[in-house]
Amino acid sequence: MTTTARTPSIAPAPPKRGTPRWIWVLVVVLVVAVTGAIALLGVSALTVFGAEPGPGVSYDPDNPRPQGARALAQIIDDHGGDLHQARGLDEFTDSPRPESSTTVVVSSVGALNPGTAQQFMDRVSDAHRVILIAPQDNALSLLRLPVRLEYGGAPTAVLAGCTTTEIADDDTITGGALGYSTSAPGATSCFTTGTASNVLIVPATSTRPEIVVVSGDMLINENLALRDNAGVATRLFASAHDILWYVPLFTDEVASAQEESDIPEALGPLVVLAAFAVLVLMLWRGRRFGALVTEPLPAVVKAIETTQARGRMYHKARADARAAAALRIHTLTSLASYLGLPYDAGRATDELAAPEWETMVAPGETADSAVHAIITTVVSVTGRDLPQVRTLLAGPLPTTDTGLVVFTSELTALEKEVRHTP
């Protein structure tokens, strides 16, 4: 009897599934979208950073808005002054070199950098006078001037208190919250509040012309018609026949004299192109090893729960004053950052942790000079009464739940008013 061995049947392997067509469509759409987004960002960056100052920039001679200086430029031009504008370093260097009959006016002083500041001072060494409008400390340092920024009082009428060829002793202007002081011998300080002068005249030396530093509040369109602002500004600016108004740009760069780099300029674009090619290759040859596995977390704590727990802790400890102090520190930090003023929030927080804080610090008024500088600037921006703002940002803190709620609402309203947000 013969037996026939049965050959085991082998099931055919299932056919490999190809990548669905919709995935390739999605990859192509994603690549096109990323490329378009990069191109759009590049165009936007060139548009923003390459734009010239103009309408909307404070103290700009072409800005007709309240903070601009178009009215002053027109008055100077109407009173016989030969006013020319130079926007950017290229136009400034293309203009005739300032001579003894030329006054050079500089607005947007903060746009100067070390290279352009040095080239500017070298070029105006023979000018009749240089007028700087509202410069900050960093710009004064770049120009190597013995002048520093000072904090004055709230904007108000200020008497001259000095006599020069352009300023009479009884002239009155609109003073600002910021002013200037100097250690230069022979300098003249006018319209001074405390140690802050709104007009500072530094005499010429062998390396630079006479420098006039102006706070700027009396020059803007909305204030020019008040008091003696227009007369004083016209006499200061039009003391020479020719006026060159220079508006630096943030994109200004001085050509470097260093040797050229050995690295080809095309290396950067090639690296970007290679990275993009690798990304496309990863999307093309990538493989998924199965569905993603979700792993439950042991615990999920919402961020709001931490805040609520801290609030319950303060409420249980009856620490309304500490809670109010923490809110005030947050508001002062936000206002200082927005207004460009110094404030040490870390030191204030350390003081808040002291055991004797509630009995020694909370009932009194803050004596921090940085806080008072913020108060003065907030008053000038919002127009509020000085005592009201001082009480809110430096006065005694509330000690009840009701007072804490009102205090929080007033801090929020003040910050929105400074930031001009609804």
Side-chain angles (χ1 to χ4, degrees):
M1 182 175 177
T2 305
T3 59
T4 304
R6 296 182 61 185
T7 303
S9 62
I10 300 175
K16 293 184 178 180
R17 294 183 179 180
T19 304
R21 182 175 298 178
W22 66 269
I23 292 183
W24 293 110
V25 174
L26 181 62
V27 170
V28 172
V29 172
L30 180 61
V31 171
V32 172
V34 171
T35 306
I38 294 175
L40 183 61
L41 288 175
V43 174
S44 300
L46 291 175
T47 303
V48 172
F49 293 105
E52 297 184 352
V57 179
S58 297
Y59 316 118
D60 191 280
D62 284 340
N63 184 1
R65 298 178 182 176
Q67 298 298 315
R70 176 186 283 185
L72 175 60
Q74 292 178 345
I75 290 176
I76 294 173
D77 199 46
D78 293 342
H79 282 71
D82 191 5
L83 178 64
H84 297 278
Q85 295 185 26
R87 294 188 177 274
L89 185 63
D90 291 340
E91 291 188 13
F92 180 68
T93 53
D94 290 341
S95 301
R97 191 181 185 92
E99 300 178 348
S100 58
S101 61
T102 304
T103 294
V104 181
V105 181
V106 187
S107 58
S108 300
V109 189
L112 292 173
N113 57 55
T116 56
Q118 181 60 46
Q119 183 164 348
F120 169 77
M121 293 302 292
D122 293 341
R123 191 168 180 81
V124 301
S125 58
D126 298 329
H128 166 68
R129 167 182 289 173
V130 172
I131 300 177
L132 304 176
I133 302 177
Q136 298 294 320
D137 277 331
N138 59 339
L140 295 171
S141 299
L142 290 176
L143 296 172
R144 299 179 182 178
L145 298 177
V147 179
R148 59 183 176 274
L149 189 66
E150 301 282 357
Y151 295 105
T156 183
V158 184
L159 279 171
C162 69
T163 302
T164 68
T165 55
E166 296 91 1
I167 301 174
D169 185 64
D170 57 349
D171 281 337
T172 303
I173 67 165
T174 302
L178 302 178
Y180 303 90
S181 63
T182 182
S183 57
T188 303
S189 302
C190 301
F191 307 104
T192 304
T193 302
T195 59
S197 300
N198 288 272
V199 176
L200 193 63
I201 304 175
V202 181
T205 65
S206 58
T207 58
R208 58 169 170 77
E210 179 183 73
I211 304 293
V212 179
V213 184
V214 185
S215 64
D217 292 79
M218 70 173 179
L219 307 178
I220 59 178
N221 295 328
E222 67 176 352
N223 291 340
L224 193 63
L226 303 177
R227 304 181 178 90
D228 298 321
N229 294 343
V232 172
T234 303
R235 294 194 295 270
L236 283 174
F237 282 61
S239 59
H241 179 266
D242 297 323
I243 300 97
L244 177 61
W245 196 308
Y246 173 41
V247 184
L249 304 179
F250 284 100
T251 54
D252 289 339
E253 291 292 342
V254 177
S256 175
Q258 298 178 354
E259 296 182 358
E260 294 185 359
S261 174
D262 294 332
I263 302 176
E265 294 182 357
L267 181 60
L270 288 176
V271 171
V272 174
L273 181 60
F276 184 73
V278 171
L279 177 62
V280 173
L281 181 63
M282 291 171 60
L283 294 174
W284 173 42
R285 301 297 296 175
R287 292 289 186 269
R288 287 190 58 182
F289 296 100
L292 296 176
V293 178
T294 59
E295 180 180 0
L297 296 176
V300 178
V301 180
K302 297 181 179 179
I304 189 63
E305 293 182 5
T306 305
T307 304
Q308 291 173 346
R310 182 173 296 179
R312 287 193 296 269
M313 181 182 67
Y314 278 133
H315 181 72
K316 185 176 180 180
R318 305 298 298 171
D320 298 309
R322 288 184 184 272
L327 292 172
R328 175 184 283 174
I329 291 172
H330 172 77
T331 300
L332 288 171
T333 303
S334 177
L335 292 176
S337 175
Y338 181 76
L339 299 172
L341 299 174
Y343 177 66
D344 190 353
R347 183 169 64 86
T349 305
D350 293 340
E351 292 177 355
L352 182 61
E356 67 277 5
W357 180 85
E358 291 190 358
T359 57
M360 300 295 294
V361 181
E365 182 173 334
T366 302
D368 191 347
S369 59
V371 174
H372 289 285
I374 295 173
I375 292 172
T376 302
T377 308
V378 168
V379 169
S380 65
V381 171
T382 62
R384 287 197 180 192
D385 293 335
L386 181 61
Q388 179 188 9
V389 179
R390 182 188 293 117
T391 301
L392 188 58
L393 297 182
L397 295 165
T399 57
T400 64
D401 291 347
T402 304
L404 179 59
V405 172
V406 175
F407 183 74
T408 304
S409 301
E410 292 180 351
L411 285 179
T412 304
L414 179 64
E415 185 174 353
K416 287 183 177 181
E417 189 172 349
V418 172
R419 291 176 175 271
H420 303 291
T421 55

